[in-house]
Amino acid sequence: MSTIVLSLLIAGVAGFLAYRLTLRRVPHLIMRRAMATIGKAAGGTNRLFHGKRPTATARQVVMPAPDLIYSSCVYDLSWGPVRLQGPVAEGYWSLSAYAENTDNFFVANDRELPERRFDVVLTRKGERLPAEFAGVTAIPAPSDRGILLIRMFIGDGSALDHIRDIQQAMRCDVLPRH
Amino acid sequence: MLIGLGVLIVLAGIVAGVLAARRALRVGATLGAQIRNGAWGTSTLAGSTRADALTRARVAISGLLALDQKECIYFVAARDDSGAPLSAGNEYEIRGEAPDSRWWSITVYGPDYFLIGNPGHRYSYNSQSIALDDSGNFAIRLAPDERPGHWLPTGTGRFVLNLRLYNPSETLRQNRAAVALPRIVRIGGNP
């Protein structure tokens, strides 16, 4: 009888742990799939992929917003800090960063960048940048891999040419690690 | 014999844990909605670094890469104002006033949370692409086939709506359960 009681106790604990583990793994699995898809479209990690206006064929990420145009980059800090820079679009524009567990750990929009340019470096936590990058915004990332996403509002559609120009002027570079 | 039975019980516990997690992710999974406002639901933790494991998993399934609430509030509806599931077998009208945010949009998605294919590529209206009446209100018809005025196609089966409010006002952020949101009223189809 004691074996059965002990088994029931262990089963309860194992069930609880399996529940927690499943919930914890789901975001990582879905994020990895999204990173693989975006990374493939961009030609690798730490490279920008410039999307077009989402349609029903857009299957990279659930609930794509058809009122936005996205540029995205799968970052991988194991190669070094990742620098992203470029002009900010007229109208709504935002840059957001996501960790491997899906957390949105950084966001800035056009209203917070009155100079109409952005220049950020994603780093590992505690990592210091050389003095030559003193004016650049350093963003410590909670994970080595994740996604950088730039959203640009299409509005009534008249901004599409402007947004394409903005996309072409963006740069993503890996910096040497010191 | 007893040891074999014990192992089976433990395995059954593990399977029950995984199934319980799957059920938790399936029931009301849409963006982990915690706040209700009419037919709409939203979460204070979507995209947040403070999200619990269940919310994070639900958001990953139905709203991966969601923004933190400071930047955008997502209201999602899978049912109409009467509580019935949204279905392409019915016709609906979304009516309301423009939400208090920098800009907003309403988008129709299929049950897989992707856009519903249609020849005209009609998926959404936003605050710049929609016309308001003299009172500042708007109306959008939801039906499988074209309707006059503002119309969004709904495909063939169940569908969900996402109302995105970018840079919402502080008043809206603090009163998500009480602010006036568009109503979703069934105006035709199967009862």
Side-chain angles (χ1 to χ4, degrees):
Chain A
M1 181 59 90
S2 61
T3 304
I4 300 296
V5 172
L6 184 62
S7 299
L8 284 170
L9 281 173
I10 294 172
V13 173
F16 175 74
L17 292 176
Y19 174 82
R20 298 289 302 174
L21 189 65
T22 302
L23 292 185
R24 286 180 67 88
R25 294 308 301 162
V26 164
H28 288 269
L29 292 172
I30 293 174
M31 191 70 167
R32 280 182 193 170
R33 196 167 58 197
M35 289 192 293
T37 308
I38 294 170
K40 187 177 176 186
T45 55
N46 301 323
R47 298 181 70 162
L48 277 161
F49 169 68
H50 299 302
K52 295 179 179 172
R53 190 173 200 166
T55 67
T57 60
R59 299 270 151 173
Q60 293 169 327
V61 175
V62 290
M63 286 205 183
D67 303 282
L68 293 167
I69 284 187
Y70 300 91
S71 288
S72 49
C73 168
V74 176
Y75 66 83
D76 183 351
L77 302 180
S78 65
W79 296 92
V82 175
R83 184 182 193 181
L84 191 63
Q85 56 185 317
V88 168
E90 298 293 331
Y92 177 83
W93 173 102
S94 68
L95 164 65
S96 46
Y98 298 85
E100 198 168 15
N101 71 349
T102 73
D103 282 357
N104 174 205
F105 63 89
F106 174 86
V107 61
N109 66 45
D110 58 294
R111 287 184 169 171
E112 295 164 291
L113 297 164
E115 65 276 22
R116 314 300 304 175
R117 281 198 65 80
F118 70 101
D119 191 354
V120 301
V121 177
L122 217 56
T123 65
R124 284 175 166 164
K125 281 192 172 172
E127 188 169 33
R128 307 187 98 180
L129 291 175
E132 66 205 77
F133 297 108
V136 178
T137 303
I139 307 168
S143 61
D144 261 12
R145 288 169 57 84
I147 294 175
L148 290 163
L149 197 59
I150 293 165
R151 293 171 162 92
M152 290 163 282
F153 182 42
I154 294 170
D156 59 7
S158 58
L160 283 170
D161 288 342
H162 166 65
I163 290 172
R164 270 192 285 272
D165 291 342
I166 292 288
Q167 286 182 310
Q168 294 310 313
M170 291 179 201
R171 282 191 55 178
C172 182
D173 302 290
V174 179
L175 304 180
R177 177 156 280 134
H178 292 267
Chain B
M1 178 70 174
L2 273 179
I3 290 174
L5 187 59
V7 170
L8 277 179
I9 290 171
V10 172
L11 286 175
I14 292 171
V15 170
V18 173
L19 291 177
R22 287 188 58 171
R23 178 172 163 71
L25 293 175
R26 203 169 53 238
V27 176
T30 312
L31 285 177
Q34 311 151 307
I35 298 173
R36 304 301 311 182
N37 182 331
W40 303 94
T42 189
S43 166
T44 57
L45 295 173
S48 169
T49 54
R50 295 175 290 107
D52 57 275
L54 180 57
T55 299
R56 195 175 275 128
R58 284 176 165 174
V59 171
I61 290 169
S62 59
L64 185 67
L65 307 184
L67 286 161
D68 187 80
Q69 58 177 324
K70 172 181 80 75
E71 195 64 21
C72 183
I73 295 177
Y74 304 86
F75 281 99
V76 177
R79 295 175 180 274
D80 64 17
D81 277 6
S82 74
L86 295 171
S87 165
N90 299 319
E91 182 171 347
Y92 304 88
E93 189 169 80
I94 308 174
R95 307 168 186 152
E97 59 188 59
D100 187 10
S101 60
R102 180 178 173 190
W103 69 277
W104 55 270
S105 66
I106 291 179
T107 311
V108 180
Y109 295 95
D112 57 0
Y113 304 119
F114 288 107
L115 296 167
I116 297 171
N118 66 89
H121 298 295
R122 280 175 177 261
Y123 311 110
S124 70
Y125 282 98
N126 66 55
S127 45
Q128 282 188 15
S129 65
I130 200 165
L132 303 179
D133 65 20
D134 292 341
S135 306
N137 295 320
F138 68 88
I140 302 170
R141 302 276 283 276
L142 303 174
D145 303 312
E146 185 166 358
R147 296 291 186 271
H150 298 130
W151 161 69
L152 291 173
T154 51
T156 56
R158 295 279 178 89
F159 64 91
V160 296
L161 301 170
N162 192 339
L163 170 62
R164 292 176 167 90
L165 310 177
Y166 282 83
N167 299 154
S169 70
E170 185 62 23
T171 305
L172 197 153
R173 282 175 58 187
Q174 298 302 326
N175 297 282
R176 272 171 281 192
V179 290
L181 292 179
R183 296 187 61 203
I184 306 168
V185 181
R186 189 173 67 83
I187 57 173
N190 300 319

